[in-house]
Amino acid sequence: MSKTTAIINQKGGVGKTTTALNLSYVLSENREKVLLIDFDPQASLTAALGYNADNKINIQTLMAAAIEENELEEDYIINIKDNLDLIPCSLELAGIEMSLVNVMSREMVLKSVIENIEDNYDHIIIDCSPSLGMLTINALAACNSIIIPVTPEYLSAKGLGLLINNISKIRKKINPNLTVDGILITMINERTHLSKEMTRVLNESVDSIKNKFNLDMKVFQSKIPISVKVGEAIMNRKSIIEYNPKNKVSESYKDFAREWREW
Ligand SMILES: Nc1ncnc2c1ncn2[C@@H]1O[C@H](COP(=O)(O)OP(=O)(O)OP(=O)(O)O)[C@@H](O)[C@H]1O
Ligand SMILES: [Mg+2]
């Protein structure tokens, strides 16, 4: 059975897309078959993979077809490399979010898209937008696991509490199979005292959130350091794993993938 994982945080710029991309690369290099879904109208993941989905079949076309109950004849999955496929996205996904308002079972549209293809994959990884709107609710209804990237500057217990509260509502109402795997600290400068203090504060907030919502989740031991190479890799339309496999960020995404697989 495939595992469907949403990379979520309503806060922008915390490393969701970078994590979706690099985790997928590591898994695909370990011969697991991975499908990436770009589910953010900003389409950063699609762009990072050097693809332009304007006027082509993309996730919003698939959602529209699912709403209309139309079958799509054309092939809509982009092969990126061995074991790694992409369903791309363009800005128009924002329009789908509006049109979902009048749709029955509007939370379940992405799930119905995924159900048709999930048997072909070991992992489906969904890169979410920085919001808690209807698109994110669709991702939460479609997935069975969640990774929450956070940066040391944004260890707001309030923001995290709001997110977990939403996740826990979806779990009660529409998706009882939903689990939060954990929180991944990204863009950390481990040498600074501030980062150590922030990590400690985060661990404390997670403990209290876990108790409050009766959820089993953890803060991953593996943390992703900050490095200018990540930006360079993006400029070159590559994951950091391809661009600079020995870089500390590449190594830490490999450690993280291992820790996550074993959890
Ligand atoms: N480990 C890292 N070191 C340095 N820069 C990083 C690192 N991870 C991500 N970045 C950079 O930080 C920015 C935000 O990262 P990313 O796009 O992955 O975040 P996001 O959560 O997906 O953002 P959004 O909410 O806008 O979708 C990008 O410019 C990215 O290149
Ligand atoms: Mg993103």
Side-chain angles (χ1 to χ4, degrees), residues 7 9-20 22 40 42 44-45 127-131 149 151 186-188 224-232 234 240 247 249 252-253:
I7 317 287
N9 192 333
Q10 77 271 27
K11 172 80 178 126
V14 293
K16 293 180 288 294
T17 302
T18 308
T19 299
N22 288 292
D40 177 1
Q42 298 178 90
S44 336
L45 179 63
D127 181 28
C128 294
S129 68
S131 89
T151 55
T186 63
M187 296 186 236
I188 189 166
I224 311 300
I226 192 158
S227 160
V228 289
K229 295 284 174 201
V230 175
E232 278 178 30
I234 297 278
I240 181 80
N247 179 271
V249 175
S252 60
Y253 271 115

Side-chain angles (χ1 to χ4, degrees), residues 217-246:
M217 66 171 178
K218 68 168 184 174
V219 179
F220 290 104
Q221 288 289 319
S222 323
K223 301 183 184 85
I224 311 300
I226 192 158
S227 160
V228 289
K229 295 284 174 201
V230 175
E232 278 178 30
I234 297 278
M235 299 267 277
N236 286 281
R237 303 251 181 264
K238 284 194 164 93
S239 67
I240 181 80
I241 308 275
E242 278 174 297
Y243 181 72
N244 195 334
K246 295 268 179 279

Side-chain angles (χ1 to χ4, degrees), residues 104-145:
M104 284 238 303
S105 312
R106 56 179 181 238
E107 298 90 359
M108 308 306 265
V109 180
L110 180 64
K111 186 180 171 70
S112 71
V113 169
I114 289 179
E115 270 168 0
N116 292 328
I117 42 182
E118 64 188 348
D119 290 348
N120 301 332
Y121 296 96
D122 300 308
H123 291 277
I124 298 177
I125 297 190
I126 309 171
D127 181 28
C128 294
S129 68
S131 89
L132 290 173
M134 193 41 76
L135 288 176
T136 298
I137 293 176
N138 264 261
L140 290 173
C143 70
N144 39 41
S145 111

Side-chain angles (χ1 to χ4, degrees), residues 24-85:
S24 303
Y25 259 83
V26 179
L27 294 170
S28 69
E29 290 194 341
N30 291 341
R31 298 198 192 84
E32 298 194 69
K33 220 165 162 353
V34 185
L35 172 66
L36 266 171
I37 300 180
D38 188 351
F39 207 49
D40 177 1
Q42 298 178 90
S44 336
L45 179 63
T46 300
L49 289 163
Y51 194 79
N52 180 345
D54 291 348
N55 308 318
K56 302 204 182 98
I57 293 194
N58 49 44
I59 189 64
Q60 56 272 27
T61 337
L62 296 180
M63 304 245 320
I67 293 168
E68 304 287 331
E69 296 186 18
N70 289 339
E71 294 272 320
L72 279 173
E73 303 279 317
E74 286 162 83
D75 202 7
Y76 49 79
I77 290 181
I78 317 294
N79 178 245
I80 301 291
K81 65 188 266 294
D82 280 356
N83 298 320
L84 183 59
D85 289 350

Side-chain angles (χ1 to χ4, degrees), residues 193-230:
H193 178 69
L194 185 67
S195 289
K196 288 197 186 95
E197 177 60 14
M198 293 287 195
T199 308
R200 189 187 62 72
V201 171
L202 178 66
N203 274 299
E204 277 178 16
S205 333
V206 168
D207 279 344
S208 79
I209 289 170
K210 266 168 67 174
N211 293 337
K212 183 166 170 203
F213 293 100
N214 195 17
L215 274 177
D216 193 18
M217 66 171 178
K218 68 168 184 174
V219 179
F220 290 104
Q221 288 289 319
S222 323
K223 301 183 184 85
I224 311 300
I226 192 158
S227 160
V228 289
K229 295 284 174 201
V230 175

